[in-house]
Amino acid sequence: MIPPILLVGFGKMGGAMLAGWRERGLAPSVAIDPAAPPSPGPELSIYTDAAAIPADFAPAAVVLAVKPQNAAETLPLYRRYAGSAVMLSIMAGRTIAGMRALLGEQAAIVRAMPNTPAAVRQGVTVGCAGPGVTPAQRQLCDDLLSAIGKVAWVDDEGLIDPVTAVSGSGPAYVFLLAELMEAAAIEQGIPPDLARLLARQTVSGSGALLAASPEDSATLRRNVTSPKGTTEQALGVLMAPEAWPAAVSKAIAAATARSRELAG
Ligand SMILES: NC(=O)c1ccc[n+]([C@@H]2O[C@H](COP(=O)([O-])OP(=O)(O)OC[C@H]3O[C@@H](n4cnc5c(N)ncnc54)[C@H](OP(=O)(O)O)[C@@H]3O)[C@@H](O)[C@H]2O)c1
């Protein structure tokens, strides 16, 4: 059973988490969102602003799922919970120090970086616990985040920048691969509908195989590669040092650097 939660921001990520919590059983909880989306069930009361929250509501966690650009105006409205509830933020680029400045120095804050496969509970989230977070609060955050996929923890908050570059932005790289395969299939004369099916199903099916297999990705790749065959020809192009190895490394370094620039 998930204890009472105050969800701030009932958008894509907040909604995905909430769906997972409800499946596990959620104690009476509150969500705040200016759009006032309909409540998915009797255990969730939705208000359009923080002032409407009943005075006796005592959440175990406040989940901050608004856009990072809304943090400065939004977080101070929830300072009153900072002494009793753990603050779990999934906002990109908002550091623990930056959030403490808005929530008060006593705030126990967990900063987490999820990714969009959360929408189908296949996400991966990396959490980092700030000062004062108790083991029980960290476990509660782990439970809340595991509703949208796998969860890992780091002690060094600086690692959230490369994590953002790899798994936060990563779904876009995989979708780009599907786009490029579809376009190349069409160039080779495959009709567009079939090109789309082949690209999508190859990317999603390979992901499912990777998830289900005990083998590492390099072994699964080798399993498709017969000597002097078609795959070997293609991989000769893609794996040339100046091709994918250099491009992926540069892309992730660029995203890491951008994440550091945006942090605050
Ligand atoms: N999507 C991703 O790939 C991803 C990955 C990692 C982390 N994140 C983080 O997850 C957070 C949420 O992203 P999302 O994709 O779920 O965004 P989203 O769908 O726009 O959800 C944010 C929600 O917060 C609402 N909101 C705005 N101001 C508010 C306020 N003062 N109080 C309460 N709710 C408010 C928004 O309403 P309106 O639309 O009416 O403004 C919207 O419904 C972001 O901080 C993002 O950095 C997202």
Side-chain angles (χ1 to χ4, degrees), residues 60-259:
V62 177
V63 178
L64 301 165
V66 294
K67 293 280 191 201
Q69 57 270 31
N70 295 127
E73 81 213 24
T74 307
L75 269 55
L77 304 174
Y78 301 92
R79 280 179 88 112
R80 64 183 140 144
Y81 301 109
S84 53
V86 62
M87 299 284 173
L88 169 59
S89 164
I90 60 160
M91 294 180 292
R94 296 278 78 91
T95 62
I96 292 170
M99 289 187 276
R100 276 163 75 99
L102 297 167
L103 288 165
E105 290 305 307
Q106 84 286 13
I109 299 174
V110 168
R111 178 180 173 194
M113 172 49 57
N115 64 2
T116 53
V120 290
R121 322 249 165 102
Q122 293 291 326
V124 61
T125 303
V126 175
C128 178
V133 174
T134 66
Q137 288 176 326
R138 181 176 146 141
Q139 183 58 52
L140 171 58
C141 292
D142 197 286
D143 292 345
L144 295 176
L145 295 168
S146 62
I148 49 170
K150 295 193 187 303
V151 182
W153 291 84
V154 294
D155 293 328
D156 174 4
E157 190 183 358
L159 289 176
I160 295 288
D161 295 309
V163 162
T164 302
V166 175
S167 57
S169 303
Y173 319 151
V174 177
F175 300 139
L176 173 63
L177 173 62
E179 277 177 69
L180 295 175
M181 284 178 67
E182 184 178 329
I186 292 169
E187 272 171 25
Q188 293 303 320
I190 295 179
D193 284 358
L194 182 55
R196 180 179 157 88
L197 172 71
L198 298 183
R200 285 176 76 105
Q201 188 59 26
T202 301
V203 170
S204 61
S206 304
L209 176 60
L210 187 59
S213 172
E215 306 283 9
D216 62 23
S217 46
T219 305
L220 290 170
R221 168 176 56 76
R222 279 187 216 104
N223 290 349
V224 200
T225 316
S226 348
K228 303 201 190 321
T230 57
T231 313
E232 194 179 79
Q233 281 296 307
L235 291 179
V237 175
L238 298 175
M239 295 177 73
E242 71 285 3
W244 279 14
V248 172
S249 164
K250 273 169 64 182
I252 287 183
T256 302
R258 184 64 180 147
S259 178

